[in-house]
Amino acid sequence: DAGVTQSPTHLIKTRGQQVTLRCSPKSGHDTVSWYQQALGQGPQFIFQYYEEEERQRGNFPDRFSGHQFPNYSSELNVNALLLGDSALYLCASSLRDGGSLQYFGPGTRLTVT
Amino acid sequence: SQQGEEDPQALSIQEGENATMNCSYKTSINNLQWYRQNSGRGLVHLILIRSNEREKHSGRLRVTLDTSKKSSSLLITASRAADTASYFCATEIRADYKLSFGAGTTVTVRA
């Protein structure tokens, strides 16, 4: 049973560019949440997807957008990259009404130069 | 904004000793969870304690929750080198999988 997978593992982008990160949830999970973790900080909630819709959103600008596909996988898109977007992006999956337990992927390390 | 704050920021102990770290939060919660992170990789779920629980154990881990003080503690007994990691507390205000994390405690276990 595969856990949460994320791709790519690392990537480097230039300011102003756009990036897409991908997440495949744990088998059977239907809810995906995205977090941003800056160096030396705790993760910050970006948004959450369930039934292909954004259900909750944290305090992030509209440059951050996402999508959930019918197979429950998800993408995180960031437009007009800033240096401050450099971070580890974590995906977490859960089962709706699953008792608050969620599983995190290994993350994607984004460096913006 | 970060709901939880861990204390201390860093902790260095000898193998075999116990490690205790604390977490304080600001608002009423549905549950509080502790996670471990090794070298900037993904988070590993350690333990979840609900707002109506006061203490939970899992192997060498003991977590307490004091909702009147809005605080929690994580105790790792008989520490091992493999326990070297960053530990985060996270609160869930409603049962909606939206977690608010603290900045973490970095634990170093010396052989």
Side-chain angles (χ1 to χ4, degrees), chain B residues 97-111:
Chain B
Y97 299 102
K98 178 181 176 182
L99 297 176
S100 295
F101 285 84
T105 293
T106 300
V107 175
T108 302
V109 181
R110 306 185 307 274

Side-chain angles (χ1 to χ4, degrees), chain A residues 31 33 35 37 40-45 48 56-58 88 90 94-102 104-106 109, chain B residues 1-2 30-31 33 35 37 39-45 48 50 88 92 94-104:
Chain A
T31 302
S33 301
Y35 292 81
Q37 185 178 21
Q41 300 295 317
Q44 297 285 311
F45 177 83
Q48 180 185 97
Q56 298 194 76
R57 189 178 184 91
L88 180 69
L90 295 163
S94 50
L95 181 63
R96 209 69 174 178
D97 301 325
S100 296
L101 187 60
Q102 52 187 316
F104 281 80
R109 174 73 64 186
Chain B
S1 62
Q2 293 189 312
N30 178 60
N31 65 70
Q33 305 177 32
Y35 286 84
Q37 185 176 45
S39 302
R41 295 184 218 153
L43 297 166
V44 174
H45 185 271
L48 180 154
R50 302 195 183 282
F88 295 90
E92 188 181 49
R94 290 177 294 275
D96 58 5
Y97 299 102
K98 178 181 176 182
L99 297 176
S100 295
F101 285 84

Side-chain angles (χ1 to χ4, degrees), chain B residues 37-90:
Chain B
Q37 185 176 45
N38 293 86
S39 302
R41 295 184 218 153
L43 297 166
V44 174
H45 185 271
L46 296 177
I47 201 162
L48 180 154
I49 185 165
R50 302 195 183 282
S51 59
N52 61 353
E53 298 175 312
R54 292 298 167 259
E55 187 171 314
K56 283 192 86 169
H57 296 257
S58 177
R60 296 184 294 112
L61 306 179
R62 172 178 171 255
V63 168
T64 62
L65 179 64
D66 187 334
T67 53
S68 66
K69 295 181 179 178
K70 292 187 171 58
S71 67
S72 173
S73 68
L74 170 66
L75 168 67
I76 305 173
T77 60
S79 62
R80 305 167 181 168
D83 295 328
T84 294
S86 292
Y87 292 81
F88 295 90
C89 70

